[in-house]
Amino acid sequence: MKVLLSAEKIQERITEMAAAIARDYPDRPVTFVGVLTGCLMFLADLIRHLDIRCRIGLIQASSYRGEATTAGPLRIDPALLPDVRGKHVILLDDILDTGNTLAQIVALLKGLEVASIRTAVLLRKKDRQIVPLEPDYLGFDIPDAFVVGYGLDYNDEYRHLPYIGVLEE
Ligand code: XMP
């Protein structure tokens, strides 16, 4: 495993992202909607830096990746989503790859008549992006390599690592 982003570097950047969110939402309660399962670490660490009124919701998105590094068809399951109508939502995801997942969930949330929607992603593989979607809050731009750790998995393993690494063959 080659370490791409150390635990310290991730925490430092998340502190900065939380400060930016707190500046932008001084008096509007935020509903954070995390995309399962990869968002778990990012969501938990980010919100612990925030001294603002907020709610938390979750949405599941899966592309039946399994052991493969290329995605299958996307399925979105909103069963765990609270009522977001009229709420100021920040959608949180671990990684922006092609942009399909985030774009589809943004469209779904807009259809539920949220008051406003912004996106926060920890990682972006800029060279792979197909859907034009600029995250409002971005942690790091990374090269086009399959990464694991800090919520990201390979075949559902490695999510618990406090750093982000590139799996070596
Ligand atoms: P799209 O292409 O829809 O993909 O932007 C976003 C989702 O794809 C998964 N993904 C990865 N998962 N390492 C992972 O563990 C990676 O390098 C990687 N690239 C994409 C992830 O689930 C993300 O939400």
Side-chain angles (χ1 to χ4, degrees), residues 95-130:
I95 188 164
L96 189 80
D97 190 342
T98 63
N100 273 319
T101 306
L102 223 53
Q104 287 195 35
I105 299 175
V106 166
L108 184 150
L109 292 168
K110 281 185 179 168
L112 296 175
E113 297 177 14
V114 294
S116 68
I117 178 141
R118 288 190 176 183
T119 55
V121 294
L122 184 63
L123 309 173
R124 170 171 66 177
K125 293 181 186 171
K126 212 172 177 184
D127 296 340
R128 301 241 326 148
Q129 204 170 328
I130 295 169

PDB file of all heavy atoms in Angstrom, residues 95-130:
ATOM      1  N   ILE A  95     -15.726  10.528  -2.846  1.00  0.00           N
ATOM      2  CA  ILE A  95     -14.898  10.756  -4.037  1.00  0.00           C
ATOM      3  C   ILE A  95     -15.753  11.086  -5.252  1.00  0.00           C
ATOM      4  O   ILE A  95     -16.817  10.504  -5.455  1.00  0.00           O
ATOM      5  CB  ILE A  95     -13.998   9.523  -4.295  1.00  0.00           C
ATOM      6  CG1 ILE A  95     -12.986   9.783  -5.410  1.00  0.00           C
ATOM      7  CG2 ILE A  95     -14.795   8.281  -4.591  1.00  0.00           C
ATOM      8  CD1 ILE A  95     -11.846   8.769  -5.441  1.00  0.00           C
ATOM      9  N   LEU A  96     -15.296  12.054  -6.011  1.00  0.00           N
ATOM     10  CA  LEU A  96     -15.938  12.408  -7.274  1.00  0.00           C
ATOM     11  C   LEU A  96     -15.080  11.809  -8.379  1.00  0.00           C
ATOM     12  O   LEU A  96     -13.927  12.204  -8.557  1.00  0.00           O
ATOM     13  CB  LEU A  96     -15.977  13.930  -7.405  1.00  0.00           C
ATOM     14  CG  LEU A  96     -16.793  14.490  -8.556  1.00  0.00           C
ATOM     15  CD1 LEU A  96     -18.259  14.506  -8.201  1.00  0.00           C
ATOM     16  CD2 LEU A  96     -16.353  15.899  -8.878  1.00  0.00           C
ATOM     17  N   ASP A  97     -15.653  10.832  -9.057  1.00  0.00           N
ATOM     18  CA  ASP A  97     -14.911  10.132 -10.111  1.00  0.00           C
ATOM     19  C   ASP A  97     -15.470  10.640 -11.449  1.00  0.00           C
ATOM     20  O   ASP A  97     -15.053  11.687 -11.939  1.00  0.00           O
ATOM     21  CB  ASP A  97     -15.103   8.625  -9.888  1.00  0.00           C
ATOM     22  CG  ASP A  97     -14.211   7.766 -10.754  1.00  0.00           C
ATOM     23  OD1 ASP A  97     -13.696   8.266 -11.754  1.00  0.00           O
ATOM     24  OD2 ASP A  97     -14.026   6.577 -10.448  1.00  0.00           O
ATOM     25  N   THR A  98     -16.447   9.942 -12.032  1.00  0.00           N
ATOM     26  CA  THR A  98     -17.061  10.463 -13.259  1.00  0.00           C
ATOM     27  C   THR A  98     -18.027  11.607 -12.950  1.00  0.00           C
ATOM     28  O   THR A  98     -18.333  12.419 -13.825  1.00  0.00           O
ATOM     29  CB  THR A  98     -17.878   9.359 -13.975  1.00  0.00           C
ATOM     30  OG1 THR A  98     -18.945   8.951 -13.125  1.00  0.00           O
ATOM     31  CG2 THR A  98     -16.995   8.173 -14.316  1.00  0.00           C
ATOM     32  N   GLY A  99     -18.517  11.651 -11.717  1.00  0.00           N
ATOM     33  CA  GLY A  99     -19.492  12.673 -11.329  1.00  0.00           C
ATOM     34  C   GLY A  99     -20.929  12.180 -11.418  1.00  0.00           C
ATOM     35  O   GLY A  99     -21.850  12.877 -10.989  1.00  0.00           O
ATOM     36  N   ASN A 100     -21.133  10.984 -11.945  1.00  0.00           N
ATOM     37  CA  ASN A 100     -22.488  10.461 -12.130  1.00  0.00           C
ATOM     38  C   ASN A 100     -23.264  10.339 -10.825  1.00  0.00           C
ATOM     39  O   ASN A 100     -24.423  10.749 -10.739  1.00  0.00           O
ATOM     40  CB  ASN A 100     -22.435   9.062 -12.779  1.00  0.00           C
ATOM     41  CG  ASN A 100     -22.404   9.180 -14.285  1.00  0.00           C
ATOM     42  OD1 ASN A 100     -23.109  10.005 -14.851  1.00  0.00           O
ATOM     43  ND2 ASN A 100     -21.571   8.379 -14.918  1.00  0.00           N
ATOM     44  N   THR A 101     -22.627   9.746  -9.820  1.00  0.00           N
ATOM     45  CA  THR A 101     -23.317   9.512  -8.546  1.00  0.00           C
ATOM     46  C   THR A 101     -23.821  10.822  -7.959  1.00  0.00           C
ATOM     47  O   THR A 101     -25.011  10.969  -7.651  1.00  0.00           O
ATOM     48  CB  THR A 101     -22.358   8.827  -7.541  1.00  0.00           C
ATOM     49  OG1 THR A 101     -21.823   7.660  -8.152  1.00  0.00           O
ATOM     50  CG2 THR A 101     -23.067   8.460  -6.258  1.00  0.00           C
ATOM     51  N   LEU A 102     -22.910  11.783  -7.835  1.00  0.00           N
ATOM     52  CA  LEU A 102     -23.281  13.042  -7.202  1.00  0.00           C
ATOM     53  C   LEU A 102     -24.342  13.774  -8.015  1.00  0.00           C
ATOM     54  O   LEU A 102     -25.312  14.297  -7.458  1.00  0.00           O
ATOM     55  CB  LEU A 102     -22.023  13.902  -7.026  1.00  0.00           C
ATOM     56  CG  LEU A 102     -21.892  14.606  -5.700  1.00  0.00           C
ATOM     57  CD1 LEU A 102     -22.020  13.656  -4.541  1.00  0.00           C
ATOM     58  CD2 LEU A 102     -20.590  15.375  -5.615  1.00  0.00           C
ATOM     59  N   ALA A 103     -24.180  13.794  -9.327  1.00  0.00           N
ATOM     60  CA  ALA A 103     -25.143  14.505 -10.177  1.00  0.00           C
ATOM     61  C   ALA A 103     -26.534  13.898 -10.042  1.00  0.00           C
ATOM     62  O   ALA A 103     -27.526  14.624  -9.939  1.00  0.00           O
ATOM     63  CB  ALA A 103     -24.675  14.467 -11.630  1.00  0.00           C
ATOM     64  N   GLN A 104     -26.614  12.581  -9.982  1.00  0.00           N
ATOM     65  CA  GLN A 104     -27.930  11.943  -9.882  1.00  0.00           C
ATOM     66  C   GLN A 104     -28.575  12.190  -8.526  1.00  0.00           C
ATOM     67  O   GLN A 104     -29.776  12.384  -8.417  1.00  0.00           O
ATOM     68  CB  GLN A 104     -27.815  10.429 -10.126  1.00  0.00           C
ATOM     69  CG  GLN A 104     -27.558  10.139 -11.601  1.00  0.00           C
ATOM     70  CD  GLN A 104     -27.809   8.670 -11.942  1.00  0.00           C
ATOM     71  OE1 GLN A 104     -28.694   8.033 -11.390  1.00  0.00           O
ATOM     72  NE2 GLN A 104     -27.032   8.135 -12.859  1.00  0.00           N
ATOM     73  N   ILE A 105     -27.752  12.209  -7.473  1.00  0.00           N
ATOM     74  CA  ILE A 105     -28.324  12.450  -6.140  1.00  0.00           C
ATOM     75  C   ILE A 105     -28.732  13.922  -5.997  1.00  0.00           C
ATOM     76  O   ILE A 105     -29.757  14.237  -5.393  1.00  0.00           O
ATOM     77  CB  ILE A 105     -27.363  12.007  -5.024  1.00  0.00           C
ATOM     78  CG1 ILE A 105     -27.086  10.502  -5.147  1.00  0.00           C
ATOM     79  CG2 ILE A 105     -27.943  12.307  -3.649  1.00  0.00           C
ATOM     80  CD1 ILE A 105     -26.065   9.946  -4.186  1.00  0.00           C
ATOM     81  N   VAL A 106     -27.948  14.816  -6.565  1.00  0.00           N
ATOM     82  CA  VAL A 106     -28.329  16.241  -6.545  1.00  0.00           C
ATOM     83  C   VAL A 106     -29.686  16.404  -7.230  1.00  0.00           C
ATOM     84  O   VAL A 106     -30.584  17.078  -6.709  1.00  0.00           O
ATOM     85  CB  VAL A 106     -27.256  17.128  -7.240  1.00  0.00           C
ATOM     86  CG1 VAL A 106     -27.791  18.526  -7.513  1.00  0.00           C
ATOM     87  CG2 VAL A 106     -26.000  17.216  -6.380  1.00  0.00           C
ATOM     88  N   ALA A 107     -29.871  15.747  -8.374  1.00  0.00           N
ATOM     89  CA  ALA A 107     -31.143  15.848  -9.103  1.00  0.00           C
ATOM     90  C   ALA A 107     -32.291  15.293  -8.249  1.00  0.00           C
ATOM     91  O   ALA A 107     -33.369  15.895  -8.178  1.00  0.00           O
ATOM     92  CB  ALA A 107     -31.049  15.111 -10.428  1.00  0.00           C
ATOM     93  N   LEU A 108     -32.032  14.168  -7.584  1.00  0.00           N
ATOM     94  CA  LEU A 108     -33.066  13.568  -6.727  1.00  0.00           C
ATOM     95  C   LEU A 108     -33.466  14.532  -5.596  1.00  0.00           C
ATOM     96  O   LEU A 108     -34.638  14.740  -5.316  1.00  0.00           O
ATOM     97  CB  LEU A 108     -32.528  12.256  -6.143  1.00  0.00           C
ATOM     98  CG  LEU A 108     -33.443  11.380  -5.294  1.00  0.00           C
ATOM     99  CD1 LEU A 108     -33.043   9.924  -5.453  1.00  0.00           C
ATOM    100  CD2 LEU A 108     -33.402  11.756  -3.824  1.00  0.00           C
ATOM    101  N   LEU A 109     -32.448  15.160  -4.960  1.00  0.00           N
ATOM    102  CA  LEU A 109     -32.731  16.059  -3.837  1.00  0.00           C
ATOM    103  C   LEU A 109     -33.457  17.319  -4.303  1.00  0.00           C
ATOM    104  O   LEU A 109     -34.357  17.824  -3.618  1.00  0.00           O
ATOM    105  CB  LEU A 109     -31.428  16.411  -3.108  1.00  0.00           C
ATOM    106  CG  LEU A 109     -30.783  15.228  -2.355  1.00  0.00           C
ATOM    107  CD1 LEU A 109     -29.373  15.577  -1.905  1.00  0.00           C
ATOM    108  CD2 LEU A 109     -31.629  14.829  -1.149  1.00  0.00           C
ATOM    109  N   LYS A 110     -33.064  17.821  -5.467  1.00  0.00           N
ATOM    110  CA  LYS A 110     -33.772  18.995  -6.002  1.00  0.00           C
ATOM    111  C   LYS A 110     -35.235  18.659  -6.238  1.00  0.00           C
ATOM    112  O   LYS A 110     -36.119  19.477  -5.977  1.00  0.00           O
ATOM    113  CB  LYS A 110     -33.117  19.458  -7.311  1.00  0.00           C
ATOM    114  CG  LYS A 110     -31.843  20.262  -7.078  1.00  0.00           C
ATOM    115  CD  LYS A 110     -31.297  20.789  -8.391  1.00  0.00           C
ATOM    116  CE  LYS A 110     -30.043  21.624  -8.155  1.00  0.00           C
ATOM    117  NZ  LYS A 110     -29.325  21.902  -9.411  1.00  0.00           N
ATOM    118  N   GLY A 111     -35.490  17.440  -6.682  1.00  0.00           N
ATOM    119  CA  GLY A 111     -36.864  16.977  -6.907  1.00  0.00           C
ATOM    120  C   GLY A 111     -37.665  16.902  -5.611  1.00  0.00           C
ATOM    121  O   GLY A 111     -38.889  16.941  -5.629  1.00  0.00           O
ATOM    122  N   LEU A 112     -36.961  16.813  -4.476  1.00  0.00           N
ATOM    123  CA  LEU A 112     -37.638  16.771  -3.172  1.00  0.00           C
ATOM    124  C   LEU A 112     -37.820  18.179  -2.595  1.00  0.00           C
ATOM    125  O   LEU A 112     -38.137  18.348  -1.422  1.00  0.00           O
ATOM    126  CB  LEU A 112     -36.836  15.897  -2.195  1.00  0.00           C
ATOM    127  CG  LEU A 112     -36.733  14.411  -2.583  1.00  0.00           C
ATOM    128  CD1 LEU A 112     -35.823  13.662  -1.612  1.00  0.00           C
ATOM    129  CD2 LEU A 112     -38.111  13.762  -2.611  1.00  0.00           C
ATOM    130  N   GLU A 113     -37.541  19.174  -3.425  1.00  0.00           N
ATOM    131  CA  GLU A 113     -37.788  20.586  -3.090  1.00  0.00           C
ATOM    132  C   GLU A 113     -37.005  21.074  -1.875  1.00  0.00           C
ATOM    133  O   GLU A 113     -37.569  21.646  -0.932  1.00  0.00           O
ATOM    134  CB  GLU A 113     -39.291  20.840  -2.911  1.00  0.00           C
ATOM    135  CG  GLU A 113     -40.044  20.588  -4.198  1.00  0.00           C
ATOM    136  CD  GLU A 113     -41.553  20.754  -4.044  1.00  0.00           C
ATOM    137  OE1 GLU A 113     -42.005  21.312  -3.032  1.00  0.00           O
ATOM    138  OE2 GLU A 113     -42.257  20.292  -4.949  1.00  0.00           O
ATOM    139  N   VAL A 114     -35.698  20.799  -1.882  1.00  0.00           N
ATOM    140  CA  VAL A 114     -34.830  21.358  -0.844  1.00  0.00           C
ATOM    141  C   VAL A 114     -34.754  22.879  -1.038  1.00  0.00           C
ATOM    142  O   VAL A 114     -34.982  23.376  -2.145  1.00  0.00           O
ATOM    143  CB  VAL A 114     -33.403  20.740  -0.919  1.00  0.00           C
ATOM    144  CG1 VAL A 114     -33.442  19.266  -0.587  1.00  0.00           C
ATOM    145  CG2 VAL A 114     -32.756  20.963  -2.282  1.00  0.00           C
ATOM    146  N   ALA A 115     -34.443  23.611   0.046  1.00  0.00           N
ATOM    147  CA  ALA A 115     -34.328  25.069  -0.069  1.00  0.00           C
ATOM    148  C   ALA A 115     -33.072  25.440  -0.842  1.00  0.00           C
ATOM    149  O   ALA A 115     -33.048  26.396  -1.622  1.00  0.00           O
ATOM    150  CB  ALA A 115     -34.308  25.696   1.330  1.00  0.00           C
ATOM    151  N   SER A 116     -31.986  24.691  -0.597  1.00  0.00           N
ATOM    152  CA  SER A 116     -30.740  24.924  -1.331  1.00  0.00           C
ATOM    153  C   SER A 116     -29.918  23.651  -1.254  1.00  0.00           C
ATOM    154  O   SER A 116     -30.112  22.820  -0.353  1.00  0.00           O
ATOM    155  CB  SER A 116     -29.955  26.092  -0.719  1.00  0.00           C
ATOM    156  OG  SER A 116     -29.481  25.733   0.566  1.00  0.00           O
ATOM    157  N   ILE A 117     -29.015  23.501  -2.204  1.00  0.00           N
ATOM    158  CA  ILE A 117     -28.140  22.325  -2.157  1.00  0.00           C
ATOM    159  C   ILE A 117     -26.730  22.698  -2.575  1.00  0.00           C
ATOM    160  O   ILE A 117     -26.514  23.416  -3.545  1.00  0.00           O
ATOM    161  CB  ILE A 117     -28.685  21.157  -3.016  1.00  0.00           C
ATOM    162  CG1 ILE A 117     -27.708  19.981  -2.981  1.00  0.00           C
ATOM    163  CG2 ILE A 117     -28.950  21.559  -4.451  1.00  0.00           C
ATOM    164  CD1 ILE A 117     -28.346  18.658  -2.906  1.00  0.00           C
ATOM    165  N   ARG A 118     -25.764  22.217  -1.766  1.00  0.00           N
ATOM    166  CA  ARG A 118     -24.345  22.333  -2.097  1.00  0.00           C
ATOM    167  C   ARG A 118     -23.717  20.957  -1.953  1.00  0.00           C
ATOM    168  O   ARG A 118     -24.321  20.054  -1.344  1.00  0.00           O
ATOM    169  CB  ARG A 118     -23.633  23.318  -1.171  1.00  0.00           C
ATOM    170  CG  ARG A 118     -24.013  24.750  -1.448  1.00  0.00           C
ATOM    171  CD  ARG A 118     -23.126  25.706  -0.709  1.00  0.00           C
ATOM    172  NE  ARG A 118     -23.448  27.072  -1.066  1.00  0.00           N
ATOM    173  CZ  ARG A 118     -22.798  28.124  -0.613  1.00  0.00           C
ATOM    174  NH1 ARG A 118     -21.790  27.967   0.242  1.00  0.00           N
ATOM    175  NH2 ARG A 118     -23.134  29.328  -0.982  1.00  0.00           N
ATOM    176  N   THR A 119     -22.518  20.811  -2.490  1.00  0.00           N
ATOM    177  CA  THR A 119     -21.848  19.505  -2.409  1.00  0.00           C
ATOM    178  C   THR A 119     -20.478  19.656  -1.755  1.00  0.00           C
ATOM    179  O   THR A 119     -19.782  20.659  -1.957  1.00  0.00           O
ATOM    180  CB  THR A 119     -21.659  18.897  -3.816  1.00  0.00           C
ATOM    181  OG1 THR A 119     -20.953  19.834  -4.625  1.00  0.00           O
ATOM    182  CG2 THR A 119     -22.991  18.560  -4.466  1.00  0.00           C
ATOM    183  N   ALA A 120     -20.111  18.643  -0.987  1.00  0.00           N
ATOM    184  CA  ALA A 120     -18.776  18.600  -0.376  1.00  0.00           C
ATOM    185  C   ALA A 120     -18.187  17.222  -0.663  1.00  0.00           C
ATOM    186  O   ALA A 120     -18.799  16.208  -0.322  1.00  0.00           O
ATOM    187  CB  ALA A 120     -18.878  18.827   1.137  1.00  0.00           C
ATOM    188  N   VAL A 121     -17.045  17.185  -1.313  1.00  0.00           N
ATOM    189  CA  VAL A 121     -16.395  15.897  -1.567  1.00  0.00           C
ATOM    190  C   VAL A 121     -14.957  15.952  -1.064  1.00  0.00           C
ATOM    191  O   VAL A 121     -14.288  16.974  -1.167  1.00  0.00           O
ATOM    192  CB  VAL A 121     -16.422  15.477  -3.060  1.00  0.00           C
ATOM    193  CG1 VAL A 121     -17.824  15.210  -3.536  1.00  0.00           C
ATOM    194  CG2 VAL A 121     -15.741  16.468  -3.942  1.00  0.00           C
ATOM    195  N   LEU A 122     -14.524  14.826  -0.525  1.00  0.00           N
ATOM    196  CA  LEU A 122     -13.168  14.802   0.013  1.00  0.00           C
ATOM    197  C   LEU A 122     -12.135  14.706  -1.111  1.00  0.00           C
ATOM    198  O   LEU A 122     -11.125  15.391  -1.089  1.00  0.00           O
ATOM    199  CB  LEU A 122     -13.005  13.623   0.977  1.00  0.00           C
ATOM    200  CG  LEU A 122     -11.656  13.567   1.670  1.00  0.00           C
ATOM    201  CD1 LEU A 122     -11.443  14.797   2.556  1.00  0.00           C
ATOM    202  CD2 LEU A 122     -11.516  12.305   2.503  1.00  0.00           C
ATOM    203  N   LEU A 123     -12.408  13.844  -2.101  1.00  0.00           N
ATOM    204  CA  LEU A 123     -11.430  13.620  -3.173  1.00  0.00           C
ATOM    205  C   LEU A 123     -12.069  13.828  -4.538  1.00  0.00           C
ATOM    206  O   LEU A 123     -13.251  13.542  -4.720  1.00  0.00           O
ATOM    207  CB  LEU A 123     -10.905  12.177  -3.114  1.00  0.00           C
ATOM    208  CG  LEU A 123     -10.390  11.654  -1.786  1.00  0.00           C
ATOM    209  CD1 LEU A 123     -10.085  10.167  -1.904  1.00  0.00           C
ATOM    210  CD2 LEU A 123      -9.145  12.419  -1.362  1.00  0.00           C
ATOM    211  N   ARG A 124     -11.272  14.290  -5.477  1.00  0.00           N
ATOM    212  CA  ARG A 124     -11.765  14.397  -6.851  1.00  0.00           C
ATOM    213  C   ARG A 124     -10.685  13.908  -7.798  1.00  0.00           C
ATOM    214  O   ARG A 124      -9.536  14.339  -7.730  1.00  0.00           O
ATOM    215  CB  ARG A 124     -12.112  15.843  -7.183  1.00  0.00           C
ATOM    216  CG  ARG A 124     -12.399  16.042  -8.679  1.00  0.00           C
ATOM    217  CD  ARG A 124     -12.953  17.400  -8.985  1.00  0.00           C
ATOM    218  NE  ARG A 124     -11.990  18.451  -8.733  1.00  0.00           N
ATOM    219  CZ  ARG A 124     -12.205  19.751  -8.970  1.00  0.00           C
ATOM    220  NH1 ARG A 124     -13.377  20.135  -9.442  1.00  0.00           N
ATOM    221  NH2 ARG A 124     -11.271  20.644  -8.712  1.00  0.00           N
ATOM    222  N   LYS A 125     -11.087  12.987  -8.699  1.00  0.00           N
ATOM    223  CA  LYS A 125     -10.185  12.559  -9.782  1.00  0.00           C
ATOM    224  C   LYS A 125     -10.555  13.388 -10.997  1.00  0.00           C
ATOM    225  O   LYS A 125     -11.410  12.998 -11.784  1.00  0.00           O
ATOM    226  CB  LYS A 125     -10.393  11.083 -10.086  1.00  0.00           C
ATOM    227  CG  LYS A 125      -9.986  10.122  -8.995  1.00  0.00           C
ATOM    228  CD  LYS A 125     -10.230   8.704  -9.476  1.00  0.00           C
ATOM    229  CE  LYS A 125      -9.980   7.683  -8.400  1.00  0.00           C
ATOM    230  NZ  LYS A 125     -10.415   6.341  -8.789  1.00  0.00           N
ATOM    231  N   LYS A 126      -9.900  14.536 -11.131  1.00  0.00           N
ATOM    232  CA  LYS A 126     -10.353  15.526 -12.106  1.00  0.00           C
ATOM    233  C   LYS A 126     -10.319  14.994 -13.544  1.00  0.00           C
ATOM    234  O   LYS A 126     -11.195  15.280 -14.356  1.00  0.00           O
ATOM    235  CB  LYS A 126      -9.513  16.793 -11.980  1.00  0.00           C
ATOM    236  CG  LYS A 126     -10.312  18.021 -12.315  1.00  0.00           C
ATOM    237  CD  LYS A 126      -9.551  19.272 -12.001  1.00  0.00           C
ATOM    238  CE  LYS A 126     -10.399  20.484 -12.428  1.00  0.00           C
ATOM    239  NZ  LYS A 126      -9.697  21.727 -12.235  1.00  0.00           N
ATOM    240  N   ASP A 127      -9.296  14.217 -13.850  1.00  0.00           N
ATOM    241  CA  ASP A 127      -9.137  13.736 -15.228  1.00  0.00           C
ATOM    242  C   ASP A 127     -10.228  12.754 -15.633  1.00  0.00           C
ATOM    243  O   ASP A 127     -10.413  12.486 -16.807  1.00  0.00           O
ATOM    244  CB  ASP A 127      -7.773  13.050 -15.404  1.00  0.00           C
ATOM    245  CG  ASP A 127      -6.646  14.034 -15.188  1.00  0.00           C
ATOM    246  OD1 ASP A 127      -6.916  15.248 -15.287  1.00  0.00           O
ATOM    247  OD2 ASP A 127      -5.516  13.598 -14.908  1.00  0.00           O
ATOM    248  N   ARG A 128     -10.943  12.192 -14.663  1.00  0.00           N
ATOM    249  CA  ARG A 128     -11.950  11.172 -14.967  1.00  0.00           C
ATOM    250  C   ARG A 128     -13.364  11.749 -15.044  1.00  0.00           C
ATOM    251  O   ARG A 128     -14.291  11.067 -15.430  1.00  0.00           O
ATOM    252  CB  ARG A 128     -11.945  10.097 -13.863  1.00  0.00           C
ATOM    253  CG  ARG A 128     -10.634   9.399 -13.698  1.00  0.00           C
ATOM    254  CD  ARG A 128     -10.733   7.955 -13.936  1.00  0.00           C
ATOM    255  NE  ARG A 128     -12.009   7.397 -13.518  1.00  0.00           N
ATOM    256  CZ  ARG A 128     -12.579   6.359 -14.124  1.00  0.00           C
ATOM    257  NH1 ARG A 128     -12.003   5.814 -15.158  1.00  0.00           N
ATOM    258  NH2 ARG A 128     -13.718   5.865 -13.666  1.00  0.00           N
ATOM    259  N   GLN A 129     -13.490  13.019 -14.674  1.00  0.00           N
ATOM    260  CA  GLN A 129     -14.840  13.572 -14.561  1.00  0.00           C
ATOM    261  C   GLN A 129     -15.517  13.701 -15.929  1.00  0.00           C
ATOM    262  O   GLN A 129     -14.909  14.202 -16.871  1.00  0.00           O
ATOM    263  CB  GLN A 129     -14.776  14.933 -13.862  1.00  0.00           C
ATOM    264  CG  GLN A 129     -16.087  15.297 -13.208  1.00  0.00           C
ATOM    265  CD  GLN A 129     -15.966  16.517 -12.318  1.00  0.00           C
ATOM    266  OE1 GLN A 129     -14.921  16.762 -11.726  1.00  0.00           O
ATOM    267  NE2 GLN A 129     -17.032  17.290 -12.239  1.00  0.00           N
ATOM    268  N   ILE A 130     -16.745  13.227 -16.016  1.00  0.00           N
ATOM    269  CA  ILE A 130     -17.521  13.309 -17.263  1.00  0.00           C
ATOM    270  C   ILE A 130     -18.643  14.322 -17.094  1.00  0.00           C
ATOM    271  O   ILE A 130     -18.859  15.180 -17.929  1.00  0.00           O
ATOM    272  CB  ILE A 130     -18.129  11.926 -17.622  1.00  0.00           C
ATOM    273  CG1 ILE A 130     -17.007  10.917 -17.920  1.00  0.00           C
ATOM    274  CG2 ILE A 130     -19.063  12.040 -18.810  1.00  0.00           C
ATOM    275  CD1 ILE A 130     -17.492   9.483 -18.031  1.00  0.00           C
TER     276      ILE A 130
END
